[in-house]
Amino acid sequence: MVYRPWTFKVLSLFLTQMKFLNPQFLWAFGVLAIPIIIHLFNFRRFKKVMFPNLRFLEEVQIQNKNKQQLKKWLVLAARLFALSFLVLAFAGPFIPGKDDKAAAAGNLLSVYIDNSFSMNAEGTEGELLEVAKNRARNLVNAYGETDRFQLLSNDFEGRHQRAVSKETFLQWVDELTYSARSRNLSEVFERQKNILQNETNTYTRNLAFQISDFQKSVSDLENIRGDSTIALYFIPLEANSRSNISVDSLWFDTPYIRGGESSILHVLLKNYGSEDLQNSTVTLSVNGVQKGLAALEIGAGLEKVVDIAFTPEKEGWNQVLVQIQDFPIVFDDKLYFSFEVRNSRKVLHIAPDAKPSKEVEAVFKTDPFFLYETASSKQLDYRSFGDYDLILVQELTEMSSGLISELKKYAEEGGSLVLIPAETNPEAMNALASSFGLPLLGNAIAVAGEINAVNTDHPVYKEIIEKMNERMAYPALYRYYPWQTPASGSYENLLSTRQGVPILSLFQKGKGQVYYLSVALSQDWSSLTRHFLFPATLLQAGFRSIPGQSLYYPIGTTMLVPLRKERGTKEDIIEMEGEAGVFIPEIVVRNNSQFLRLDETQQTAGSFWLKKKGEKEQLQSVSLNYDRKESQTEIWKGDELAARMTPGTQVQVIDGNAESLGKTIREMDSGKQLWKLAVFLTLLFIAIEILLLRFLKTA
């Protein structure tokens, strides 16, 4: 066996794998004959030199001849190597990548550019979105005209779901702008896989690139499932500063707002940066007029709730804007919301022979906010039920099937009911309870106790619980109706005994709510009607009788917005009007209720008026805001990206700030280019030749 050093093995492997972009230049190796001929045939003429003494001439001639021969061979070798590497440089040598055969059949590239609002941050070369677009251009220009390319952004546009030419791809990159949507990276890669796999019959080399700032809030790297047929590359971009203050959310203490009365708005703000925010302000504008101002100071990485007091004056729908001043990320500096001011509530009290309880009548007649009416169960206009915000059904001993059906429909469509059983006959109430799915009432039980368990966590009692103290007497309980059947559905006990006997429970039925009493109002049953809990509960039921509606909705997802619609009115075409113009949303009907269906095409934040087509009357206001997911500025850096991937998933992370990104990608995929090395070696051997001629003396 012949021994070959490891250096020879490496050189042999290097030479056997090396290929050439321009192999026709290899014919130029013929120029190597020129220096060989020059060295073999020395054309210099010999000169005669006269010596007076030839005693040491033979020894000197022998020594000079050996040095001259060595110098000649070294210079010849240097020239041959210099010319050889010069020829190789022009031939374009490279070591092919592992997919070189697939690359010969064509390349299909899927390039995702993150165009979410977080890419508005400034990097060393400008806004990150513009940097990402430049990286995509560099990347694509490194490939051939016959390759195909697919652009993907957060919008998932229909035209981007196919492969196109380089020219079309670059045009689409130029047109790319910021999007209100944010996508998880796993969702992006699944879309890339679908498109790449559909093109496999033609292009056998599939490459997927993701250019992003890789925010932690959307970079669900552990959910990315790799594919052996697709090479995945991450190109991270990093901003100079990740500071950001966000108006995160807001809320009122109560679901109702009364005109002319002061309201407190709670605004949650978050500081995602590493620096404290000082001497800033939060402003509140109602219907375009500034109504509130609050000082703002937040420590780095902290959040703070700021309270703003204001007095709404306009009855009906109001459009409100809360905003701060913060740069460079500004999409979350504004939060739009809408609320309705109603200066009255309509209450219908159904009682035997239109003779309501004096205690109930006193509660609603003392507050001008309530428009209180009474009616007999035998003289009802069912069509008018939709005009009332709250209906009380008190101690009816009989109910017709028509009344039961209409009350059920009223609650399911968003009405509020208070059900009070009769003293002697719970059967009529059980018939109504059965249709609602409420517990049936059994025979009355006599006790001697107290209604001493108040659900202080429920919003009904949050506003009044401060009036209660440990020394205050609770309502006495003498008799009650036990639940004969178990409760079903969503409900909460508001008042009960320490032993768990329910006295007043709140059930959610459809879009409405039902307050269900287990006692009659007579003093023989309890002293509840003489306790402040009784009027407080009825007033809260009246205030909260209008179905709650979200103050605002997020953009970027498909959502259904409840549409206020009077009972019995026909379904009209609805228009949404805002600063960006007018458009007609889709109307969806579910369970006899109308909803506006807003999908991902809605991109503009703001408050919009809903109107009937062709009319000016403002029916309702809907506010839309950008999703705050992009407000979180924490990112995964290059060395962290690959580490968080599921084991076995192949991914390469490339420096997003590299000036020659396209060439870097090309070399990683198609092979290592060696022409620069050949040029360097050419210059090296020319330098060696010069040094040999100048410093190697032969005499």
Side-chain angles (χ1 to χ4, degrees):
M1 180 176 179
V2 179
Y3 171 75
R4 291 189 290 182
W6 67 271
T7 53
F8 181 81
K9 293 181 181 180
V10 173
L11 180 62
S12 175
L13 181 63
F14 181 83
L15 293 175
T16 56
Q17 290 188 352
M18 185 169 61
K19 294 185 179 181
F20 302 93
L21 294 175
N22 305 302
Q24 64 272 18
F25 279 99
L26 295 178
W27 291 103
F29 272 114
V31 301
L32 297 179
I34 297 176
I36 294 175
I37 292 174
I38 292 175
H39 283 73
L40 291 179
F41 301 96
N42 192 345
F43 296 109
R44 290 186 304 167
R45 294 182 179 181
F46 293 96
K47 294 194 320 179
K48 293 182 179 181
V49 180
M50 303 301 293
F51 289 93
N53 191 341
L54 304 177
R55 182 176 178 180
F56 300 106
L57 181 61
E58 182 178 0
E59 182 179 352
V60 172
Q61 286 180 339
I62 294 174
Q63 291 175 355
N64 288 344
K65 184 177 180 180
N66 291 336
K67 289 183 178 181
Q68 287 176 351
Q69 290 295 329
L70 176 62
K71 179 178 180 179
K72 287 181 180 180
W73 286 112
L74 290 176
V75 171
L76 175 62
R79 289 175 177 173
L80 290 176
F81 277 116
L83 289 174
S84 298
F85 285 113
L86 182 62
V87 172
L88 287 175
F90 280 99
F94 68 94
I95 302 298
K98 60 181 181 180
D99 295 329
D100 184 60
K101 294 182 179 179
N107 297 295
L108 177 62
L109 283 74
S110 175
V111 182
Y112 164 69
I113 299 178
D114 182 1
N115 61 333
S116 61
F117 285 129
S118 67
M119 298 290 283
N120 185 48
E122 289 285 332
T124 55
E125 302 175 45
E127 290 187 3
L128 291 187
L129 179 59
E130 290 303 318
V131 176
K133 292 164 69 172
N134 288 333
R135 295 293 181 266
R137 296 184 186 103
N138 296 340
L139 173 65
V140 171
N141 285 328
Y143 288 85
E145 296 294 334
T146 59
D147 295 325
R148 304 285 285 175
F149 309 91
Q150 182 249 338
L151 175 65
L152 199 62
S153 69
N154 288 325
D155 295 311
F156 282 7
E157 292 185 56
R159 62 174 181 166
H160 290 168
Q161 309 307 308
R162 57 189 178 91
V164 296
S165 64
K166 180 187 294 187
E167 180 182 1
T168 302
F169 178 92
L170 293 175
Q171 178 184 345
W172 287 353
V173 170
D174 294 338
E175 297 170 356
L176 193 62
T177 58
Y178 290 104
S179 171
R181 303 184 188 92
S182 59
R183 305 281 185 181
N184 291 334
L185 294 186
S186 61
E187 181 184 6
V188 171
F189 185 61
E190 287 301 317
R191 184 64 62 98
Q192 289 181 302
K193 282 199 298 185
N194 293 337
I195 296 169
L196 292 172
Q197 291 170 351
N198 289 337
E199 299 280 348
T200 301
N201 293 334
T202 305
Y203 298 94
T204 57
R205 182 176 176 79
N206 298 328
L207 308 171
F209 299 88
Q210 295 188 0
I211 309 175
S212 171
D213 57 355
F214 291 94
Q215 282 189 300
K216 291 184 178 182
S217 58
V218 297
S219 300
D220 56 337
L221 304 174
E222 62 281 358
N223 295 328
I224 294 180
R225 298 293 177 261
D227 190 308
S228 59
T229 64
I230 299 175
L232 175 60
Y233 299 93
F234 288 158
I235 305 176
L237 305 177
E238 188 169 352
N240 296 333
S241 172
R242 306 301 302 185
S243 62
N244 182 37
I245 310 297
S246 169
V247 184
D248 184 81
S249 56
L250 49 81
W251 65 94
F252 290 102
D253 285 331
T254 62
Y256 58 89
I257 298 176
R258 299 177 63 169
E261 293 186 0
S262 179
S263 298
I264 303 295
L265 178 68
H266 307 289
V267 183
L268 175 62
L269 299 109
K270 295 184 178 181
N271 184 350
Y272 292 100
S274 56
E275 298 180 358
D276 296 344
L277 176 68
Q278 297 179 346
N279 301 323
S280 186
T281 57
V282 184
T283 60
L284 179 142
S285 300
V286 181
N287 301 317
V289 179
Q290 183 172 319
K291 291 289 187 178
L293 183 69
L296 175 61
E297 293 184 356
I298 312 179
L302 301 178
E303 60 183 44
K304 184 176 183 179
V305 175
V306 175
D307 295 339
I308 305 178
F310 72 103
T311 302
E313 299 173 355
K314 176 188 173 184
E315 185 176 4
W317 286 95
N318 291 259
Q319 296 182 339
V320 189
L321 170 62
V322 174
Q323 62 181 335
I324 60 173
Q325 297 292 330
D326 173 51
F327 297 97
I329 300 177
V330 298
F331 80 94
D332 53 5
D333 292 352
K334 296 181 178 180
L335 193 62
Y336 299 89
F337 70 98
S338 302
F339 65 88
E340 185 182 16
V341 173
R342 292 185 59 179
N343 291 330
S344 64
R345 296 285 194 275
K346 294 190 69 174
V347 178
L348 176 62
H349 190 171
I350 303 174
D353 300 323
K355 294 180 180 179
S357 166
K358 293 182 180 180
E359 291 83 1
V360 175
E361 189 175 29
V363 170
F364 292 109
K365 280 194 172 182
T366 54
D367 191 335
F369 181 71
F370 295 100
L371 303 179
Y372 177 75
E373 299 179 17
T374 60
S376 169
S377 60
K378 299 178 181 179
Q379 297 176 344
L380 291 173
D381 181 6
Y382 299 152
R383 294 174 299 178
S384 67
F385 279 8
D387 298 334
Y388 297 95
D389 302 304
L390 177 68
I391 296 180
L392 295 94
V393 181
Q394 177 196 332
E395 300 180 347
L396 298 184
T397 56
E398 57 181 22
M399 295 188 198
S400 66
S401 59
L403 176 58
I404 292 174
S405 177
E406 290 298 324
L407 289 175
K408 179 182 178 183
K409 185 177 180 181
Y410 167 82
E412 290 177 345
E413 292 184 355
S416 293
L417 281 173
V418 177
L419 304 182
I420 305 170
E423 283 192 74
T424 57
N425 182 14
E427 295 304 320
M429 184 59 67
N430 281 342
L432 180 60
S434 178
S435 67
F436 276 106
L438 302 177
L440 300 182
L441 303 179
N443 295 325
I445 296 177
V447 294
E450 289 183 331
I451 305 174
N452 49 14
V454 182
N455 188 348
T456 56
D457 293 330
H458 196 277
V460 168
Y461 294 119
K462 274 190 175 180
E463 295 182 13
I464 62 174
I465 199 59
E466 294 180 356
K467 299 179 182 179
M468 300 182 63
N469 56 59
E470 295 181 356
R471 297 181 181 180
M472 183 174 293
Y474 287 96
L477 179 65
Y478 310 123
R479 300 179 67 188
Y480 72 93
Y481 285 120
W483 286 359
Q484 196 174 19
T485 58
S488 62
S490 176
Y491 80 99
E492 289 186 84
N493 287 328
L494 301 182
L495 298 175
S496 58
T497 67
R498 291 268 169 82
Q499 292 74 31
V501 176
I503 302 302
L504 174 64
S505 303
L506 177 60
F507 289 80
Q508 299 298 323
K509 294 299 176 182
K511 294 169 58 178
Q513 48 193 0
V514 179
Y515 295 84
Y516 192 37
L517 271 167
S518 298
V519 295
L521 299 183
S522 169
Q523 297 299 312
D524 295 334
W525 286 67
S526 72
S527 63
L528 178 62
T529 55
R530 293 185 178 182
H531 196 276
F532 87 94
L533 281 175
F534 182 71
T537 302
L538 291 185
L539 289 174
Q540 286 293 314
F543 290 141
R544 299 172 180 275
S545 57
I546 296 179
Q549 182 175 358
S550 297
L551 296 174
Y552 56 88
Y553 298 88
I555 291 176
T557 59
T558 299
M559 53 192 165
L560 296 178
V561 179
L563 179 62
R564 289 286 177 85
K565 174 178 173 290
E566 299 295 334
R567 285 182 40 151
T569 59
K570 62 179 181 179
E571 297 177 3
D572 297 292
I573 297 177
I574 300 298
E575 295 179 335
M576 287 188 70
E577 179 180 353
E579 293 182 359
V582 179
F583 66 96
I584 299 177
E586 179 184 355
I587 303 295
V588 177
V589 179
R590 294 184 178 177
N591 298 325
N592 297 321
S593 299
Q594 287 187 343
F595 299 87
L596 299 180
R597 184 180 185 275
L598 301 177
D599 56 22
E600 295 183 352
T601 59
Q602 178 61 41
Q603 286 279 305
T604 306
S607 292
F608 300 82
W609 288 112
L610 302 184
K611 302 178 180 180
K612 293 181 181 179
K613 186 177 180 181
E615 298 183 9
K616 295 183 179 181
E617 181 184 0
Q618 298 169 345
L619 302 177
Q620 186 176 336
S621 179
V622 174
S623 295
L624 306 176
N625 289 287
Y626 300 124
D627 195 326
R628 265 40 183 177
K629 183 188 296 185
E630 290 288 323
S631 299
Q632 304 176 31
T633 56
E634 288 186 293
I635 63 171
W636 295 117
K637 295 187 177 181
D639 55 345
E640 299 173 318
L641 290 171
R644 292 193 60 84
M645 298 289 289
T646 302
T649 303
Q650 299 298 321
V651 63
Q652 296 189 54
V653 181
I654 304 169
D655 181 11
N657 296 319
E659 295 181 358
S660 54
L661 175 63
K663 179 180 68 64
T664 303
I665 294 291
R666 190 67 172 173
E667 289 183 353
M668 292 178 62
D669 269 337
S670 299
K672 181 67 176 177
Q673 303 292 328
L674 302 176
W675 66 270
K676 283 188 176 181
L677 177 62
V679 171
F680 171 77
L681 293 175
T682 299
L683 297 176
L684 175 64
F685 281 105
I686 291 176
I688 291 174
E689 178 187 356
I690 294 173
L691 294 174
L692 288 172
L693 293 175
R694 184 168 182 176
F695 296 105
L696 186 59
K697 304 297 184 180
T698 59

